[in-house]
Amino acid sequence: MTTGLFISFEGIDGAGKSSHIDGLARAFRDHGRVVTLTREPGGTPLAEKLRALMLHDAMDPLTEALIAFAARRDHLLQVIEPALARGEVVICDRFTDATFAYQGAGRGFDLQKLAVLERMVQTGTAPEAGLLPDLLREPDMTLWFDLPAEVAAERLATARVPDRFEAQPGEFFARVARGYADRAQAAPQRFVRIEAHASRDAVWRQIMLAVAHKGWLAGMEESQP
């Protein structure tokens, strides 16, 4: 049976990651893989309701973190784990790294407490958990769109009406960007840094090189999004 793959896209608001997610999904489908596209917070009816609360209702950092992980637990159980068990490619617009970057580095919430929540929520979710009860579900690869906070702010200035995260000041996004850098440094085997300030075609080539390097889409280095 084909092994499932879990790929996450990460980066501060305005980094441009979302425009490449569909392209990567098409590349895998062109190679005969079944792809599940999803996002966080969200991905299930319950998690989408929690997403709306997070993006629009005022709350303290602990409440934000708890809502994010509650949505993630339902997302894992209802969507991500079943798709991986079927051998599908799961491509997720943000995952746990976003919580550490936004609620941790951005809001200043205790990173150790986030780590406790991470282990509580992301273990015991997989079908093989009976044999590996301590298995912590993480992406097989995280594509991190690294973009200076000031450039992201310029992009967001012309975007739609911002939600409560997109409306944050530049200092907030600078902290979030540092939070992503810290996560990447702590997990170099999983993170791939994408130079997001490059042209669209150059960004796409970086993505394809990263995936081809894993042997997942060999020969696709020059494909177009």
mmCIF file of all heavy atoms in Angstrom, residues 196-218:
data_model
loop_
_atom_site.group_PDB
_atom_site.id
_atom_site.type_symbol
_atom_site.label_atom_id
_atom_site.label_comp_id
_atom_site.label_asym_id
_atom_site.label_seq_id
_atom_site.Cartn_x
_atom_site.Cartn_y
_atom_site.Cartn_z
ATOM 1 N N ALA A 196 10.682 33.407 0.177
ATOM 2 C CA ALA A 196 9.369 33.832 -0.313
ATOM 3 C C ALA A 196 9.384 35.202 -0.971
ATOM 4 O O ALA A 196 8.381 35.617 -1.551
ATOM 5 C CB ALA A 196 8.358 33.821 0.836
ATOM 6 N N HIS A 197 10.509 35.916 -0.894
ATOM 7 C CA HIS A 197 10.607 37.233 -1.523
ATOM 8 C C HIS A 197 11.024 37.106 -2.986
ATOM 9 O O HIS A 197 11.106 38.116 -3.692
ATOM 10 C CB HIS A 197 11.603 38.105 -0.754
ATOM 11 C CG HIS A 197 11.387 39.580 -0.975
ATOM 12 N ND1 HIS A 197 12.246 40.537 -0.511
ATOM 13 C CD2 HIS A 197 10.400 40.257 -1.619
ATOM 14 C CE1 HIS A 197 11.804 41.734 -0.851
ATOM 15 N NE2 HIS A 197 10.689 41.599 -1.522
ATOM 16 N N ALA A 198 11.298 35.900 -3.432
ATOM 17 C CA ALA A 198 11.687 35.659 -4.822
ATOM 18 C C ALA A 198 10.461 35.730 -5.724
ATOM 19 O O ALA A 198 9.320 35.853 -5.267
ATOM 20 C CB ALA A 198 12.363 34.291 -4.939
ATOM 21 N N SER A 199 10.688 35.631 -7.041
ATOM 22 C CA SER A 199 9.577 35.636 -7.989
ATOM 23 C C SER A 199 8.723 34.390 -7.801
ATOM 24 O O SER A 199 9.168 33.394 -7.207
ATOM 25 C CB SER A 199 10.107 35.670 -9.426
ATOM 26 O OG SER A 199 10.749 34.443 -9.743
ATOM 27 N N ARG A 200 7.515 34.437 -8.323
ATOM 28 C CA ARG A 200 6.603 33.292 -8.205
ATOM 29 C C ARG A 200 7.235 32.033 -8.786
ATOM 30 O O ARG A 200 7.167 30.959 -8.179
ATOM 31 C CB ARG A 200 5.280 33.603 -8.899
ATOM 32 C CG ARG A 200 4.284 32.446 -8.849
ATOM 33 C CD ARG A 200 2.983 32.807 -9.553
ATOM 34 N NE ARG A 200 2.112 31.651 -9.652
ATOM 35 C CZ ARG A 200 1.295 31.244 -8.691
ATOM 36 N NH1 ARG A 200 1.254 31.885 -7.539
ATOM 37 N NH2 ARG A 200 0.523 30.185 -8.869
ATOM 38 N N ASP A 201 7.848 32.149 -9.958
ATOM 39 C CA ASP A 201 8.470 30.982 -10.586
ATOM 40 C C ASP A 201 9.635 30.458 -9.741
ATOM 41 O O ASP A 201 9.818 29.236 -9.617
ATOM 42 C CB ASP A 201 8.972 31.323 -11.990
ATOM 43 C CG ASP A 201 7.834 31.475 -12.990
ATOM 44 O OD1 ASP A 201 6.704 31.044 -12.672
ATOM 45 O OD2 ASP A 201 8.080 32.026 -14.074
ATOM 46 N N ALA A 202 10.413 31.363 -9.167
ATOM 47 C CA ALA A 202 11.545 30.938 -8.337
ATOM 48 C C ALA A 202 11.073 30.244 -7.071
ATOM 49 O O ALA A 202 11.680 29.268 -6.617
ATOM 50 C CB ALA A 202 12.422 32.142 -7.990
ATOM 51 N N VAL A 203 9.993 30.738 -6.496
ATOM 52 C CA VAL A 203 9.425 30.077 -5.315
ATOM 53 C C VAL A 203 8.956 28.673 -5.680
ATOM 54 O O VAL A 203 9.207 27.707 -4.950
ATOM 55 C CB VAL A 203 8.267 30.916 -4.733
ATOM 56 C CG1 VAL A 203 7.488 30.116 -3.687
ATOM 57 C CG2 VAL A 203 8.794 32.206 -4.118
ATOM 58 N N TRP A 204 8.289 28.558 -6.818
ATOM 59 C CA TRP A 204 7.794 27.245 -7.248
ATOM 60 C C TRP A 204 8.941 26.266 -7.446
ATOM 61 O O TRP A 204 8.848 25.103 -7.059
ATOM 62 C CB TRP A 204 6.964 27.382 -8.509
ATOM 63 C CG TRP A 204 6.469 26.074 -9.045
ATOM 64 C CD1 TRP A 204 6.856 25.424 -10.168
ATOM 65 C CD2 TRP A 204 5.483 25.226 -8.429
ATOM 66 N NE1 TRP A 204 6.187 24.233 -10.310
ATOM 67 C CE2 TRP A 204 5.329 24.091 -9.257
ATOM 68 C CE3 TRP A 204 4.709 25.326 -7.267
ATOM 69 C CZ2 TRP A 204 4.447 23.062 -8.959
ATOM 70 C CZ3 TRP A 204 3.822 24.297 -6.964
ATOM 71 C CH2 TRP A 204 3.697 23.183 -7.805
ATOM 72 N N ARG A 205 10.038 26.729 -8.049
ATOM 73 C CA ARG A 205 11.190 25.848 -8.256
ATOM 74 C C ARG A 205 11.765 25.370 -6.928
ATOM 75 O O ARG A 205 12.170 24.209 -6.798
ATOM 76 C CB ARG A 205 12.263 26.557 -9.079
ATOM 77 C CG ARG A 205 11.915 26.689 -10.559
ATOM 78 C CD ARG A 205 13.129 27.090 -11.381
ATOM 79 N NE ARG A 205 13.595 28.422 -11.039
ATOM 80 C CZ ARG A 205 13.146 29.533 -11.627
ATOM 81 N NH1 ARG A 205 12.218 29.458 -12.570
ATOM 82 N NH2 ARG A 205 13.619 30.706 -11.287
ATOM 83 N N GLN A 206 11.776 26.244 -5.935
ATOM 84 C CA GLN A 206 12.256 25.833 -4.612
ATOM 85 C C GLN A 206 11.381 24.724 -4.034
ATOM 86 O O GLN A 206 11.879 23.763 -3.444
ATOM 87 C CB GLN A 206 12.254 27.030 -3.657
ATOM 88 C CG GLN A 206 13.257 28.117 -3.974
ATOM 89 C CD GLN A 206 13.114 29.286 -3.015
ATOM 90 O OE1 GLN A 206 13.443 29.181 -1.829
ATOM 91 N NE2 GLN A 206 12.604 30.402 -3.505
ATOM 92 N N ILE A 207 10.070 24.861 -4.212
ATOM 93 C CA ILE A 207 9.152 23.846 -3.697
ATOM 94 C C ILE A 207 9.380 22.515 -4.396
ATOM 95 O O ILE A 207 9.488 21.462 -3.753
ATOM 96 C CB ILE A 207 7.692 24.314 -3.880
ATOM 97 C CG1 ILE A 207 7.406 25.538 -3.009
ATOM 98 C CG2 ILE A 207 6.718 23.186 -3.543
ATOM 99 C CD1 ILE A 207 6.070 26.205 -3.306
ATOM 100 N N MET A 208 9.476 22.546 -5.714
ATOM 101 C CA MET A 208 9.652 21.316 -6.469
ATOM 102 C C MET A 208 10.999 20.648 -6.172
ATOM 103 O O MET A 208 11.085 19.420 -6.092
ATOM 104 C CB MET A 208 9.529 21.595 -7.955
ATOM 105 C CG MET A 208 8.106 21.849 -8.430
ATOM 106 S SD MET A 208 7.051 20.357 -8.334
ATOM 107 C CE MET A 208 6.270 20.578 -6.727
ATOM 108 N N LEU A 209 12.030 21.438 -5.988
ATOM 109 C CA LEU A 209 13.332 20.865 -5.633
ATOM 110 C C LEU A 209 13.262 20.179 -4.276
ATOM 111 O O LEU A 209 13.830 19.099 -4.079
ATOM 112 C CB LEU A 209 14.402 21.952 -5.628
ATOM 113 C CG LEU A 209 14.903 22.414 -7.000
ATOM 114 C CD1 LEU A 209 15.770 23.666 -6.845
ATOM 115 C CD2 LEU A 209 15.698 21.306 -7.685
ATOM 116 N N ALA A 210 12.561 20.805 -3.330
ATOM 117 C CA ALA A 210 12.444 20.224 -1.994
ATOM 118 C C ALA A 210 11.697 18.896 -2.038
ATOM 119 O O ALA A 210 12.104 17.914 -1.401
ATOM 120 C CB ALA A 210 11.728 21.201 -1.067
ATOM 121 N N VAL A 211 10.597 18.843 -2.792
ATOM 122 C CA VAL A 211 9.804 17.624 -2.873
ATOM 123 C C VAL A 211 10.561 16.544 -3.650
ATOM 124 O O VAL A 211 10.559 15.365 -3.268
ATOM 125 C CB VAL A 211 8.438 17.926 -3.514
ATOM 126 C CG1 VAL A 211 7.644 16.649 -3.701
ATOM 127 C CG2 VAL A 211 7.651 18.911 -2.646
ATOM 128 N N ALA A 212 11.229 16.945 -4.741
ATOM 129 C CA ALA A 212 11.995 15.976 -5.524
ATOM 130 C C ALA A 212 13.156 15.410 -4.722
ATOM 131 O O ALA A 212 13.505 14.231 -4.857
ATOM 132 C CB ALA A 212 12.506 16.637 -6.806
ATOM 133 N N HIS A 213 13.759 16.245 -3.874
ATOM 134 C CA HIS A 213 14.871 15.786 -3.043
ATOM 135 C C HIS A 213 14.449 14.645 -2.118
ATOM 136 O O HIS A 213 15.242 13.766 -1.797
ATOM 137 C CB HIS A 213 15.418 16.958 -2.225
ATOM 138 C CG HIS A 213 16.573 16.596 -1.339
ATOM 139 N ND1 HIS A 213 17.827 16.319 -1.837
ATOM 140 C CD2 HIS A 213 16.659 16.443 0.019
ATOM 141 C CE1 HIS A 213 18.641 16.022 -0.830
ATOM 142 N NE2 HIS A 213 17.959 16.092 0.290
ATOM 143 N N LYS A 214 13.194 14.675 -1.718
ATOM 144 C CA LYS A 214 12.651 13.599 -0.877
ATOM 145 C C LYS A 214 12.345 12.343 -1.686
ATOM 146 O O LYS A 214 12.040 11.298 -1.115
ATOM 147 C CB LYS A 214 11.366 14.073 -0.189
ATOM 148 C CG LYS A 214 11.564 15.128 0.886
ATOM 149 C CD LYS A 214 12.068 14.520 2.173
ATOM 150 C CE LYS A 214 11.997 15.509 3.324
ATOM 151 N NZ LYS A 214 12.477 14.913 4.595
ATOM 152 N N GLY A 215 12.391 12.460 -3.018
ATOM 153 C CA GLY A 215 12.064 11.320 -3.863
ATOM 154 C C GLY A 215 10.584 11.139 -4.083
ATOM 155 O O GLY A 215 10.150 10.108 -4.620
ATOM 156 N N TRP A 216 9.784 12.134 -3.702
ATOM 157 C CA TRP A 216 8.337 12.013 -3.815
ATOM 158 C C TRP A 216 7.832 12.350 -5.210
ATOM 159 O O TRP A 216 6.830 11.803 -5.656
ATOM 160 C CB TRP A 216 7.640 12.922 -2.791
ATOM 161 C CG TRP A 216 7.939 12.548 -1.368
ATOM 162 C CD1 TRP A 216 8.338 11.325 -0.903
ATOM 163 C CD2 TRP A 216 7.858 13.413 -0.235
ATOM 164 N NE1 TRP A 216 8.506 11.379 0.470
ATOM 165 C CE2 TRP A 216 8.219 12.641 0.910
ATOM 166 C CE3 TRP A 216 7.524 14.743 -0.040
ATOM 167 C CZ2 TRP A 216 8.265 13.158 2.199
ATOM 168 C CZ3 TRP A 216 7.559 15.268 1.241
ATOM 169 C CH2 TRP A 216 7.912 14.476 2.340
ATOM 170 N N LEU A 217 8.501 13.292 -5.891
ATOM 171 C CA LEU A 217 8.106 13.701 -7.242
ATOM 172 C C LEU A 217 9.362 13.821 -8.095
ATOM 173 O O LEU A 217 9.671 14.882 -8.630
ATOM 174 C CB LEU A 217 7.351 15.032 -7.225
ATOM 175 C CG LEU A 217 5.945 15.030 -6.653
ATOM 176 C CD1 LEU A 217 5.373 16.443 -6.626
ATOM 177 C CD2 LEU A 217 5.009 14.132 -7.458
ATOM 178 N N ALA A 218 10.090 12.738 -8.228
ATOM 179 C CA ALA A 218 11.342 12.754 -8.983
ATOM 180 C C ALA A 218 11.089 13.188 -10.409
ATOM 181 O O ALA A 218 10.116 12.771 -11.053
ATOM 182 C CB ALA A 218 11.985 11.372 -8.963
#
